[in-house]
Amino acid sequence: MKHRPQPPRSGVVQSSWYDAPQYYDLAFRSETQPEADFIESACRKYCAFPVRQLLEPACGTGRLVTALAARGYRVTGFDLSEPALAYLRRRLVRRKLEATVFAADMADFVLPGPVDAAYNTFDSFRHLLTERDACRHLQCVADNLRPGGIYILGFHLLPPDASEECTERWTERQGGMQVTVTLRVVSSDRRRRRETIRISLLVRRGENQLRLRDEFPLRLYAARQVRQLLARVPAFELLDVYDFWYEIEHPLQLNDEISDTVFILRKRQPILRSGERMRS
């Protein structure tokens, strides 16, 4: 019988938290159902056709890939983290689900055919540290999305009067395991549009515990900078904006008051020349 490895009794491990997929996955597990519900609601509200094929760039451990595959969607997910993808593949096998999973860069990928809708709900977009890569990512999504399809893109904004210092902490539990996540902004530079995030995970199982620590940069966005970015990718039009409460009946305004932001982007229909017919 195989036994799940136990975390060591003490010590701090400097490691990417994306390389600890079982703990990363547990840290966000409670978000999975409301996110999946919102994705389905947005597809029904904003797409003029039945949505059957979904894409998740930077899918990580595949919380949502698995959840949506279980709801009957044909889901494609990709990521650069091989440990996360291996974890996702094992989960799909264990649950007897199917999805297309592969390694690729958010700013450089091609699918065999277009999908109906795409989603990326929680800040992975801000790992793209330059305007060029952000534009390339959006264009790649548009290139692999059918006309009229939507991209549900969620990430944090930094309003002009917001404090640049931020600390968040939350705890998730499953069985005998407890994971406490502490997220702290350790540096911020509005001029360079860069902040550094420190993630600390405290994993407890009985008397054993493991501490993981990771730091990485993210790109900063204010509302006007999002508008400027979208203006550079005319393939998309901005339909509506929500926050992380995911209240589909209550869209918000993109302004300097909003922070936790979810954008509904729709791929524009091609402009047809006289005599042409649009392909379905």
Side-chain angles (χ1 to χ4, degrees):
M1 179 183 297
K2 293 185 178 180
H3 296 280
R4 183 179 297 173
Q6 297 292 315
R9 291 185 178 274
S10 62
V12 177
V13 178
Q14 295 289 145
S15 173
S16 170
W17 74 329
Y18 300 112
D19 292 340
Q22 68 273 37
Y23 308 136
Y24 176 92
D25 190 79
L26 177 55
F28 291 101
R29 185 162 298 179
S30 63
E31 303 295 329
T32 302
Q33 181 171 331
E35 289 176 354
D37 290 346
F38 179 79
I39 290 165
E40 285 196 298
S41 296
C43 288
R44 287 193 296 265
K45 181 174 181 177
Y46 294 105
C47 292
F49 44 79
V51 171
R52 299 185 179 91
Q53 298 183 77
L54 294 170
L55 167 68
E56 182 177 7
C59 65
T61 59
R63 297 180 298 114
L64 289 166
V65 170
T66 307
L68 291 163
R71 298 185 186 196
Y73 294 93
R74 297 196 295 273
V75 189
T76 297
F78 67 83
D79 201 279
L80 283 175
S81 171
E82 289 293 353
L85 293 176
Y87 180 89
L88 170 55
R89 292 185 181 104
R90 291 194 299 270
R91 170 190 273 171
L92 290 167
V93 170
R94 186 172 64 251
R95 295 191 56 182
K96 299 180 180 180
L97 297 171
E98 293 187 1
T100 302
V101 178
F102 59 94
D105 191 310
M106 286 180 74
D108 186 13
F109 66 91
V110 179
L111 304 182
V115 295
D116 300 321
Y119 61 88
N120 184 283
T121 56
F122 198 80
D123 260 349
S124 298
F125 178 72
R126 296 207 293 136
H127 283 288
L128 300 167
L129 298 177
T130 68
E131 194 82 351
R132 177 175 179 270
D133 280 348
C135 287
R136 286 176 61 197
H137 168 69
L138 291 174
Q139 189 61 57
C140 274
V141 174
D143 290 344
N144 290 279
L145 191 64
R146 65 182 288 185
I150 62 170
Y151 185 22
I152 304 164
L153 179 60
F155 59 94
H156 288 86
L157 304 184
L158 184 65
D161 60 350
S163 171
E164 296 178 1
E165 298 180 1
C166 176
T167 300
E168 296 183 36
R169 182 176 291 108
W170 69 94
T171 298
E172 296 284 352
R173 297 173 179 84
Q174 182 184 32
M177 181 184 292
Q178 173 180 297
V179 175
T180 298
V181 183
T182 303
L183 183 154
R184 179 174 290 110
V185 177
V186 296
S187 67
S188 184
D189 187 332
R190 287 181 184 269
R191 184 184 63 81
R192 295 179 61 239
R193 295 181 58 186
R194 189 77 55 89
E195 68 180 2
T196 300
I197 302 293
R198 176 181 297 157
I199 299 286
S200 300
L201 270 67
L202 173 59
V203 183
R204 290 191 176 98
R205 189 198 299 271
E207 296 182 356
N208 295 334
Q209 68 177 31
L210 170 67
R211 294 179 184 270
L212 296 174
R213 182 174 295 163
D214 191 12
E215 287 190 13
F216 47 84
L218 295 175
R219 187 163 174 80
L220 290 172
Y221 286 90
R224 65 176 178 80
Q225 292 163 336
V226 174
R227 292 190 184 279
Q228 290 168 353
L229 173 64
L230 294 178
R232 296 186 175 97
V233 188
F236 277 123
E237 58 178 327
L238 175 61
L239 298 183
D240 269 326
V241 175
Y242 295 87
D243 60 16
F244 289 176
W245 289 105
Y246 300 120
E247 296 176 328
I248 193 67
E249 300 302 327
H250 302 287
L252 306 172
Q253 296 294 319
L254 177 55
N255 55 36
D256 289 336
E257 303 299 320
I258 192 170
S259 175
D260 304 337
T261 316
V262 182
F263 301 91
I264 308 296
L265 309 177
R266 183 166 60 195
K267 182 175 179 179
R268 298 180 191 273
Q269 298 283 354
I271 299 175
L272 302 180
R273 291 174 293 184
S274 177
E276 286 186 328
R277 297 180 62 186
M278 185 170 19
R279 296 179 181 178
S280 58

